[in-house]
């Protein structure tokens, strides 16, 4: 039973502030399944927070079917309908198994270089993501990423971007927004004012951007201006220090940036939402309960994932009482929240019908076309399978690869059916080729994205060691890379051009099928 | 909306036969998630079969929350309420994440050697499993295993048994049945006439039992007699050739065994259910559609998982038409099925309330007590952690270990927090210790069950290689075995008795916590 939106004047002041807070929770129904108990509240605490009147929740973890139950559970506790958000930049299936899982946005940008149909793909991606999100109770898609990934070493944006120039990003991001907005669902352009040109991951430390205002206007801001014109519902702030605008506070906590630039200069009237406040770049530097106050002062409407939700609410209330924040500041934010909630009000979900709404054949066909058309292929094809060949699979972390790699994944089953022996390798398995298997012709399948290959991650080392070993011993039969085109660029110059090489933006089983179909012609 | 049970006389003959068939399906809601498409029908086919009037479904795969949706979906299609079965011998959580996951039955047998409270644990296991099964729509628990595991090399029963003697098995299996029968749920004693004394896995080939009738009566049959007296609802047949009773047909297809022994001599009036007919030992040897006919002739009431459900129904109808099977034979089976269905009729499930019914703290406490009291500990304890030690984890298959081993599992996180480096090893990672890490003090954690260590599985080889290597170089700091007590028996004689050694029957995260708590006193 979903409640309806009450008159703002019936809320206490604390209730108004609580509406600005969006709390992280997992999609699993049972406390025993919570994967990150230090960051994810248990059911009793979540019920307490929802009954207290938080404005929404953001889901991480759980399957699409579980989300359908879990989102209803949360709404059933709420007096005021909740915003239910998720980082589904690559479709519902990216986060919640069962939904359609798209290749990352940069795949569509790759297609756009030669094919104007790319915009239709971006629109379809937005529409399918929106329809599936609604079917399981998500009413706020935290996408599109409108960052311009003009730095190939960017560890955190990378293939999540719709391109490497504002001219590439804007039309695709706009198409995604328009596709999604055909449904009663909210969107969010992120990460303001642009997270594309940094080599620091803000999950780990606070990146500093030293560009001039004119450069920012030309590159970083253009896609935001364009997304706002396309009707994006929210803009998410970045945890970045933009020196030319505010040398003291990162964008998330900066009044000159959120209010001065985004609200006043760009004239954005929708929701300003912070990126996760619990990230170390914010919570450790500025304090778990001080940073929400700074964010509200700066102009944020939604405080996403504060480390201590009740502490954040109390701190903001206290700041109003002390005169540090004007009551009107809160009222304006909640009015914008009401405007957003009105757009998604009244959507009912029926968990018994979702089987007919997710991962429909037409949706999977769109994904297949995107995968096929964005795939980069070179060398002599098809490859004739070698009996007793080796299928060497390199992933970052075998303990966390279950979403794309199981015993039933095509990357395993297809070579196996052709006589290949599976060998697995990740950061936990030492690089230790054995003399007696030195001369096995090897298909190397590399799953890598986000991590700059030159960096210091263990995958870098072991992947590179294997690549060199196989190349120098002439046993590299074929190379398939799933994920980062920057790794492809790095490896291909060193490769014999006859060796079959396939690059796919996707990592999901469907991407594996498409790639291995071309490789083996099976 | 669950239908109610119609009068038998309103059913056509084909509808009666269809009620004898139970079809395999997975608990995932979306076709794109089906892990074994060659064995698991898609949604459209399942809907067709349910509407055709099959008697029930057996679920494999999916989470507990997903099962709740999926079981309701199936019931909503059915004109006659379905039996919904699952192989939850070790609790709902064994198969469906979110439910309580018990240690295997043999753990309770270990406790029973010294502690009469073991029977209470078995009863609690039955009761908790039943309550949780009902909460997600399962009305038929395919347990308890009442086989007597008197052959340590048994690859398929092993720790699934409640003990190694009939005297050990019977009271615990009876307690499980009584615990479960406090709820409106069905049970099944398996695998008749006893699968404990074989070294062949009937999933792979047809085992032959050469014992005399008197030996069978003394060892194998005793727990079945006792389970029947305790009111078990069904008895599942084994795919075993019992030479002294029927030299031609395995128990599943044998009239002398199912009718002669089970129905007539033991006087069992409940459901006789076959083990999965799609197993090679049956379907390949006797034909996909001939074996269901043979099973009905032999006296089976329920045909479990025939390879071709519609073909099986047609073949049985044809056999009746031809006079090979009497119509009365079918009628008697369906009457027994009606008797069973009446017991579970009218149970409603509320998916929004299951969060309060599964994995409750009291249930997890029972599991913890079983794990603690069945754990076998030796050597000098606690172990002082070595900075820069190695945490070597050996599993059978890294691609299928996600249920007990993820980045968040205690087997990884506890040693990591003490400074250990994780090293993973399975059948896909070659045994290749490197010179430079030869002298690392190593905690070896071995996850193994079911596979006899002496056998030819790759885990055997790589696990044994590591064990020997670490022992001979005096770098084996501690050994933790999760799963098979027979491996413990095999390894301990070769070990320095001072080396800490912990054996746990469980493999789940809770078992890891209990074991590592004793090892490190953390």
């Amino acid at each position: 039973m979903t409640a309806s939106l009450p008159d703002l004047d019936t809320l206490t002041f604390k209730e108004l502030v609580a509406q600005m807070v969006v709390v992280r929770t997992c999609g699993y129904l049972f406390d025993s399944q919570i994967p990150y108990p230090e960051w994810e509240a248990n059911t009793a605490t979540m019920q307490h927070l929802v009954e207290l009147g938080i404005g929404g929740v953001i889901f991480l973890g759980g399957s699409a079917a579980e989300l359908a139950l879990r989102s209803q559970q949360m709404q059933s506790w709420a007096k005021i309908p909740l915003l239910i958000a998720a980082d589904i930049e690559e479709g519902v299936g990216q986060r919640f198994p069962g939904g359609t899982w798209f290749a990352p946005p940069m795949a569509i940008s790759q297609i756009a270089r030669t094919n104007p149909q790319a915009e239709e793909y971006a629109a379809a991606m937005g529409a399918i993501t929106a329809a599936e999100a609604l079917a399981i109770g998500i009413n706020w898609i935290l996408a599109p990423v409108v960052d311009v990934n003009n730095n190939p070493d960017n560890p955190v944006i990378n293939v999540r971007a719709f391109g490497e120039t504002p001219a590439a990003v804007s039309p695709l991001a706009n198409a995604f927004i328009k596709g999604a907005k055909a449904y009663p669902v909210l969107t969010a352009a992120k990460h303001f004012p642009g997270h594309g040109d940094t080599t620091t991951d803000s999950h780990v430390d606070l990146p500093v951007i030293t560009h001039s205002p004119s450069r920012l206007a030309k590159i970083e801001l253009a896609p935001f201006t364009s997304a706002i014109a396309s009707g994006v519902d929210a803009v998410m702030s970045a945890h970045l220090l933009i020196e030319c605008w505010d040398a003291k506070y990162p964008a998330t906590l900066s009044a000159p940036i959120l209010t001065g630039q985004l609200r006043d200069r760009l004239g954005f009237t929708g929701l300003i939402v912070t990126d996760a406040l619990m990230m170390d770049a914010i919570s450790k530097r500025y304090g778990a309960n001080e940073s929400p106050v700074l964010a509200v002062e700066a102009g944020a409407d939604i405080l996403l994932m504060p480390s201590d939700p009740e502490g954040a609410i109390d701190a903001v209330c206290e700041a109003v009482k002390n005169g540090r924040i004007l009551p009107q500041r809160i009222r304006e934010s909640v009015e914008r929240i009401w405007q957003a909630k009105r757009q998604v009000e009244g959507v009912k979900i029926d968990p018994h019908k979702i089987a007919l709404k997710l991962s429909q054949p037409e949706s999977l066909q769109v994904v297949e076309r995107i995968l096929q058309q964005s795939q980069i292929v070179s060398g002599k094809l098809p490859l004739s399978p070698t009996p007793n060949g080796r299928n060497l699979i390199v992933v970052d972390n075998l303990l966390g690869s279950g979403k794309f790699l199981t015993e039933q994944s095509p990357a395993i089953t297809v070579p196996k059916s052709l006589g290949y022996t599976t060998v697995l390798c990740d950061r936990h398995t030492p690089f230790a080729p054995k003399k007696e298997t030195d001369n096995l012709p090897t298909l190397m399948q590399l799953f890598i994205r986000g991590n700059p290959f030159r960096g210091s991650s263990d995958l870098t080392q072991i992947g590179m060691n294997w690549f060199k070993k196989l190349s120098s011993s002439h046993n590299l039969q074929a190379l398939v890379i799933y994920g980062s085109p920057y790794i492809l660029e790095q490896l291909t110059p060193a490769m014999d051009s006859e060796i079959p090489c396939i690059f796919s933006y996707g990592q999901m089983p469907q991407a594996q099928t498409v790639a291995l179909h071309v490789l083996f012609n099976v």
Side-chain angles (χ1 to χ4, degrees), chain A:
Chain A
M1 198 61 67
T2 308
S4 67
L5 219 48
D7 190 308
L8 267 192
D9 294 324
T10 64
L11 272 66
T12 66
F13 195 76
K14 189 173 173 182
E15 284 172 336
L16 290 176
V17 172
Q19 281 294 310
M20 297 174 72
V21 171
V22 168
V23 174
R24 168 175 174 166
T25 184
C26 74
Y28 300 105
L29 269 193
F30 309 107
D31 285 350
S32 59
Q33 293 175 288
I34 297 175
Y36 302 96
E38 66 273 39
W39 295 316
E40 292 167 343
N42 66 15
T43 298
T45 306
M46 277 312 299
Q47 182 165 3
H48 168 70
L49 290 172
V50 171
E51 288 174 352
L52 195 80
I54 54 168
V57 296
I58 171 170
F59 277 115
L60 289 106
S63 70
E66 288 168 325
L67 252 280
L69 291 174
R70 186 85 162 144
S71 63
Q72 285 190 110
Q73 180 191 50
M74 297 284 154
Q75 293 288 18
S76 77
W77 291 333
K79 274 179 293 186
I80 298 166
L82 295 165
L83 293 175
I84 296 194
D87 272 316
I88 41 179
E89 300 164 4
E90 298 164 20
V92 166
Q94 178 199 8
R95 301 280 171 192
F96 310 114
T100 301
W101 187 359
F102 285 86
M106 201 173 277
I108 301 184
S109 159
Q110 172 77 27
I111 298 172
R113 293 177 192 196
T114 55
N115 184 348
Q117 217 190 351
E119 282 186 37
E120 288 169 37
Y121 292 150
M125 185 172 167
I128 292 165
T129 303
E132 296 192 356
L134 279 177
I136 59 173
I138 295 170
N139 54 30
W140 191 6
I141 301 170
L142 299 180
V145 171
V146 302
D147 301 318
V148 177
N149 198 67
N150 55 358
N151 187 331
D153 286 340
N154 190 315
V156 64
I157 302 303
N158 216 277
V159 293
R160 294 164 65 194
F162 272 110
E164 297 173 337
T165 64
V169 169
S170 294
L172 298 176
N174 292 348
F176 181 97
I177 293 165
K178 284 177 185 158
K181 294 301 293 173
Y183 295 82
V185 75
L186 304 173
T187 51
K190 60 200 194 181
H191 309 79
F192 189 83
H195 206 311
D197 194 6
T198 169
T199 56
T200 307
D201 183 345
S202 60
H203 293 80
V204 180
D205 203 354
L206 182 63
V208 178
I209 304 289
T210 54
H211 296 311
S212 67
S214 64
R215 140 77 195 228
L216 289 173
K218 201 173 119 197
I219 306 284
E220 276 78 4
L221 294 188
F224 284 97
T225 312
S226 157
I228 291 167
S230 292
V232 79
D233 303 281
V235 171
M236 183 184 284
S237 71
H239 298 338
L240 294 174
L241 203 68
I242 315 292
E243 281 188 336
C244 69
W245 282 341
D246 190 336
K248 190 172 174 199
Y249 287 116
T252 297
L253 310 180
S254 164
I257 297 177
L258 298 191
T259 300
Q261 295 293 329
L262 179 54
R263 191 69 81 204
D264 297 342
R265 273 207 56 227
L266 302 189
F268 179 58
T269 58
L271 287 176
I272 298 180
V273 50
T274 68
D275 202 347
L277 292 175
M278 58 165 64
M279 287 192 212
D280 283 358
I282 297 295
S283 69
K284 286 227 172 128
R285 273 174 193 251
Y286 302 96
N289 291 334
E290 172 64 5
S291 40
V293 175
L294 290 169
V296 175
E297 278 188 299
D301 302 307
I302 295 277
L303 303 168
L304 188 68
M305 289 164 66
S307 336
D308 169 11
E310 284 198 77
I313 295 167
D314 291 341
V316 173
C317 287
E318 189 61 31
V320 175
K321 216 193 270 171
N322 293 344
R324 199 173 147 190
I325 296 175
L326 290 176
Q328 186 53 22
R329 178 66 269 286
I330 305 297
R331 177 81 189 204
E332 283 164 9
S333 282
V334 185
E335 275 169 3
R336 279 189 283 264
I337 293 169
W338 250 234
Q339 205 167 24
K341 287 193 170 184
R342 253 181 237 120
Q343 286 191 57
V344 299
E345 210 179 6
V347 177
K348 295 265 176 288
I349 81 161
D350 180 348
H352 302 310
K353 296 217 171 117
I354 59 171
L356 303 169
K357 294 191 176 166
L358 270 64
S359 290
Q360 293 302 290
E362 312 81 72
S363 308
L364 300 177
Q365 269 165 32
V366 174
V367 177
E368 185 152 324
R369 264 180 251 132
I370 294 171
L371 287 168
Q372 281 166 343
Q373 294 175 26
S374 62
Q375 198 162 261
I376 300 170
V377 172
S378 66
K380 220 179 129 199
L381 286 162
L383 175 67
S384 303
T386 323
N388 307 319
R390 172 168 53 183
N391 174 23
L392 174 69
I393 293 187
V394 185
V395 300
D396 184 41
N397 183 1
L398 282 164
L399 297 173
S401 302
K403 270 184 70 187
F404 59 84
L405 199 67
T406 70
E407 197 71 79
Q408 286 82 46
S409 302
I412 305 281
T413 58
V414 172
K416 199 173 182 181
S417 72
L418 298 169
Y420 285 72
T421 302
T422 312
V423 176
L424 299 177
C425 152
D426 81 338
R427 66 166 88 147
H428 305 106
T429 58
F431 172 68
K434 292 209 295 186
K435 275 250 164 67
E436 55 271 41
T437 55
D438 257 8
N439 288 315
L440 285 183
T442 301
L443 158 63
M444 182 173 177
Q445 297 189 77
L446 188 54
F447 291 80
I448 182 170
R449 59 175 278 192
N451 306 309
F453 209 74
R454 282 181 208 93
S456 59
S457 86
D458 295 330
L459 172 60
T460 308
Q461 219 41 58
I462 198 163
M464 196 47 116
N465 285 347
W466 269 110
F467 178 77
K468 283 183 183 159
K469 171 93 192 165
L470 293 170
S471 296
S472 65
S473 62
H474 303 286
N475 288 314
L476 182 64
Q477 196 178 56
L479 176 67
V480 186
I481 300 174
Y482 302 96
S484 168
Y486 304 109
I487 307 303
L488 176 76
E489 281 174 19
Q490 198 187 346
L491 294 185
T492 33
M495 269 177 79
D496 178 342
S497 64
E498 294 259 297
I499 297 175
C501 179
I502 298 180
F503 166 72
S504 176
Y505 281 90
Q507 301 196 314
M508 67 290 270
Q510 207 179 351
Q512 300 164 28
T513 302
V514 169
L516 297 175
H517 172 72
V518 169
L519 181 65
F520 289 116
N521 194 22
V522 286

